[in-house]
Amino acid sequence: MSGECFTPSSLEEAGRVLKQVLEQRRFAAILCRCSVNYKGRGSSWSSPGDRLIVVKPSGSIIIHGPQGFKPENWQPDGSTFAVSMSEGRLILVSMRKNPRETLTIEIEKVYSITSIGNPVKGAFYMYMSESEIRDYLKENPQLIEDGLRILEVEKPAGPGYVDLYGIDKNGVNVVIELKRVRAGEDAVKQLLQYLEFLKRKTGRVRGILVAPGFTESAVRLAYTAGVRLVQIDLKSLSDRIASSRRRTRDLTSFF
Amino acid sequence: MSGECFTPSSLEEAGRVLKQVLEQRRFAAILCRCSVNYKGRGSSWSSPGDRLIVVKPSGSIIIHGPQGFKPENWQPDGSTFAVSMSEGRLILVSMRKNPRETLTIEIEKVYSITSIGNPVKGAFYMYMSESEIRDYLKENPQLIEDGLRILEVEKPAGPGYVDLYGIDKNGVNVVIELKRVRAGEDAVKQLLQYLEFLKRKTGRVRGILVAPGFTESAVRLAYTAGVRLVQIDLKSLSDRIASSRRRTRDLTSFF
DNA sequence: GAATTCATCTGGAGA
DNA sequence: TCTCCAGTTGAATTC
């Protein structure tokens, strides 16, 4: 379906268009002067200003002010809408239960409403997530340490889960904690918790923290606690993963 | 300045308008069919689909697909833009340094471009954050327990910080963990960690978990571990805070 | 600048 | 539903 763009001459007219847009569950953007009131888990209030209201077919609403990456207010997928006029203002209310939250938008002036019906949803892929790195390291443990063998992924360990669990060339159990970003003291503490828990269960265990970088305090704590730090280069790993992905694809297209 | 709404008849025309919008740093929404490529801390790729691109005067860009509250891709305030044509496609590139990240949008078709120049930024206030609740409970400890006195806020305790620290009517030290949302097992575990740490330092310590609700497993763990659970009603607390805020304002306006 | 914690966190996987 | 954890997390506060 094609897109539509509308510049209303009155608030009443804008209200009619807005109602249609919401009923037909169109993907829409409303540029307007409004103030917003939110009450639910928190509460917020904003004074009149120019904002962009995004309404999605899935039932979410997002309100952006002229700056910042984050929206000022929002309501997630599955919210319900109601449009009304009150005291010369166009009122858009969005409600959600569980938790019960209400978003009330008081619109003074609508600059434009643009929308599209039945929007085509494009595919979206994210690469180099922690799980992707983890799965690659599981198949290529020598990148972490020579002679290392991985036995388990996401092994439960008391308070949480161990990213990788294996055994080193000397037969000692190894707990591996993986971070996609520079690791701080907290990552070492987390690893130490797992180690303490597993020590009581399986006896001797070593810890390895794998990350692209480490904070000073992380290095210090790791040293005193006997945790080994292994630095990985994300870029070269990304290249390796990409080429292994290509290889796999070649194989499947071959057979 | 007034808003503008534009339905381009060709990609070239759309490109010219887009360039103007970006140069004039207007607050704009572009409804279009596009695919997006991101490379930086992570990398993502998306196939052609209908998306809404939001551009802000502050230099951020946000790309929304037809569902979900979160944007598919984005770039925060302070990014730079470049518009070009290539192989019959309109290309919008957004760059950011530190970290170096690039967002490339390949536009097939523009449904509409709506924008406003010099948007009015409305004020925004958020109430009832965890810190606001914490500060109110610090001044009104009887809401947690009779005879309780608060001695410290955000007291360091090994792995993290204790929300409130005080002494009960029997002279026993008390650690209070506060959650603004329904508390689960993890909140009790966190409190137990603080308790273990402080027990070694100060001797006898009790724990109180304050939250609007508790999960079944949280209740079970709290019972076996001897942690007291105190339920607070966020709504009544919100009203109390609001009225105390009003009282303070009345005082300042009086003197 | 680095480090730490909160968020109306959201979202997803798993039990 | 609850638990756990990643996130291009962002944003604020503290040091």
Side-chain angles (χ1 to χ4, degrees):
Chain A
M1 201 182 278
S2 82
E4 277 176 23
C5 195
F6 190 75
T7 312
S9 53
S10 74
L11 262 188
E12 285 76 15
E13 201 183 6
R16 280 194 295 276
V17 175
L18 187 55
K19 221 167 216 168
Q20 266 193 5
V21 159
L22 293 172
E23 273 166 8
Q24 295 174 14
R25 294 193 154 275
R26 295 171 73 87
F27 187 12
I30 301 117
L31 196 52
C32 64
R33 172 77 54 94
C34 66
S35 55
V36 186
N37 218 300
Y38 155 73
K39 197 127 210 228
R41 285 167 294 182
S43 24
S44 77
W45 171 83
S46 68
S47 66
D50 294 327
R51 300 190 169 91
L52 181 75
I53 305 174
V54 178
V55 176
K56 297 197 180 186
S58 51
S60 36
I61 182 166
I62 303 144
I63 302 168
H64 276 282
Q67 51 178 251
F69 142 78
K70 281 213 166 170
E72 285 186 354
N73 290 99
W74 69 89
Q75 205 81 278
D77 279 1
S79 304
T80 56
F81 303 104
V83 184
S84 63
M85 287 291 298
S86 169
E87 297 174 20
R89 298 285 162 82
L90 179 57
I91 313 288
L92 171 55
V93 179
S94 163
M95 282 230 297
R96 161 199 196 191
K97 25 186 94 165
N98 212 325
R100 185 162 193 86
E101 295 186 294
T102 315
L103 195 60
T104 309
I105 309 170
E106 202 170 302
I107 304 174
E108 287 175 32
K109 179 172 171 48
V110 173
Y111 301 114
S112 71
I113 300 177
T114 175
S115 71
I116 185 168
N118 300 318
V120 172
K121 189 182 175 340
F124 181 80
Y125 305 98
M126 184 80 212
Y127 299 128
M128 288 289 288
S129 59
E130 190 180 283
S131 64
E132 200 167 14
I133 299 172
R134 190 232 295 138
D135 293 345
Y136 186 79
L137 289 178
K138 178 192 146 202
E139 299 302 326
N140 303 270
Q142 77 284 356
L143 291 174
I144 301 172
E145 190 175 271
D146 217 54
L148 178 71
R149 278 187 307 133
I150 302 300
L151 303 173
E152 278 184 77
V153 179
E154 294 287 299
K155 179 187 176 73
Y161 294 83
V162 166
D163 287 328
L164 291 168
Y165 183 77
I167 196 162
D168 71 11
K169 62 180 171 198
N170 300 319
V172 178
N173 296 316
V174 186
V175 164
I176 296 142
E177 175 66 21
L178 175 64
K179 289 287 159 204
R180 204 180 46 77
V181 292
R182 191 211 248 259
E185 216 179 329
D186 53 333
V188 185
K189 279 179 184 161
Q190 198 182 339
L191 179 50
L192 289 176
Q193 282 213 344
Y194 297 145
L195 282 174
E196 199 183 335
F197 178 87
L198 290 170
K199 210 172 282 174
R200 276 181 298 210
K201 286 231 161 185
T202 38
R204 209 168 143 216
V205 195
R206 289 202 303 130
I208 302 181
L209 180 57
V210 180
F214 308 92
T215 65
E216 256 308 309
S217 60
V219 174
R220 240 177 296 127
L221 180 57
Y223 181 77
T224 59
V227 164
R228 194 179 161 205
L229 300 180
V230 172
Q231 193 166 352
I232 46 160
D233 179 33
L234 277 186
K235 193 167 156 40
S236 75
L237 202 65
S238 159
D239 295 342
R240 280 166 182 274
I241 292 176
S243 73
S244 82
R245 201 186 290 125
R246 207 174 310 120
R247 214 177 308 126
T248 316
R249 204 189 306 139
D250 287 352
L251 278 171
T252 39
S253 64
F254 185 82
F255 289 112
Chain B
M1 202 181 279
S2 83
E4 276 176 23
C5 195
F6 190 75
T7 312
S9 52
S10 74
L11 263 188
E12 285 76 15
E13 200 183 6
R16 279 193 296 276
V17 175
L18 186 56
K19 222 168 216 170
Q20 265 193 5
V21 159
L22 294 171
E23 274 167 7
Q24 294 174 15
R25 295 194 154 273
R26 294 171 74 87
F27 187 11
I30 301 116
L31 195 52
C32 64
R33 171 77 54 93
C34 66
S35 54
V36 185
N37 219 300
Y38 156 73
K39 198 129 210 233
R41 284 167 295 180
S43 9
S44 77
W45 171 86
S46 69
S47 67
D50 294 327
R51 299 189 171 91
L52 181 75
I53 305 174
V54 178
V55 176
K56 299 199 182 187
S58 51
S60 35
I61 181 166
I62 304 144
I63 302 168
H64 276 281
Q67 50 178 247
F69 141 79
K70 278 208 169 175
E72 284 186 355
N73 290 100
W74 69 88
Q75 204 81 278
D77 278 1
S79 305
T80 56
F81 303 104
V83 183
S84 63
M85 288 290 298
S86 169
E87 297 173 21
R89 298 284 162 84
L90 179 56
I91 313 289
L92 171 55
V93 179
S94 163
M95 283 229 297
R96 162 201 195 189
K97 25 186 97 164
N98 211 322
R100 185 163 193 85
E101 296 185 294
T102 315
L103 195 60
T104 310
I105 310 171
E106 202 169 302
I107 303 174
E108 287 175 30
K109 180 171 169 50
V110 173
Y111 301 114
S112 71
I113 300 177
T114 176
S115 71
I116 185 169
N118 299 319
V120 172
K121 189 182 175 338
F124 180 79
Y125 307 96
M126 183 78 211
Y127 301 130
M128 288 287 286
S129 59
E130 190 177 283
S131 64
E132 203 166 8
I133 299 172
R134 189 232 297 139
D135 293 345
Y136 187 78
L137 289 177
K138 177 191 147 202
E139 300 300 327
N140 302 270
Q142 77 283 357
L143 290 174
I144 300 173
E145 191 175 89
D146 217 54
L148 178 70
R149 278 188 306 134
I150 302 300
L151 303 174
E152 277 184 77
V153 179
E154 294 287 299
K155 181 188 175 71
Y161 293 85
V162 165
D163 287 327
L164 292 169
Y165 183 77
I167 198 162
D168 71 10
K169 62 181 170 198
N170 300 318
V172 178
N173 296 317
V174 186
V175 165
I176 297 142
E177 175 67 21
L178 175 63
K179 288 287 159 204
R180 212 177 41 74
V181 292
R182 191 209 248 259
E185 218 179 326
D186 54 331
V188 185
K189 278 179 185 161
Q190 197 183 340
L191 179 50
L192 288 176
Q193 281 213 346
Y194 296 147
L195 282 174
E196 200 183 335
F197 179 85
L198 291 171
K199 210 171 282 173
R200 276 182 298 209
K201 286 230 159 186
T202 38
R204 207 168 143 217
V205 196
R206 291 201 302 131
I208 303 180
L209 181 57
V210 180
F214 307 93
T215 64
E216 255 309 309
S217 63
V219 174
R220 238 177 297 128
L221 181 56
Y223 182 78
T224 59
V227 164
R228 192 178 163 207
L229 301 180
V230 172
Q231 193 167 352
I232 45 160
D233 179 33
L234 275 187
K235 194 168 152 40
S236 74
L237 203 64
S238 159
D239 295 343
R240 280 164 181 276
I241 292 176
S243 72
S244 82
R245 202 184 290 124
R246 207 174 310 122
R247 214 176 308 126
T248 316
R249 206 189 303 137
D250 286 351
L251 279 172
T252 39
S253 64
F254 185 83
F255 291 111

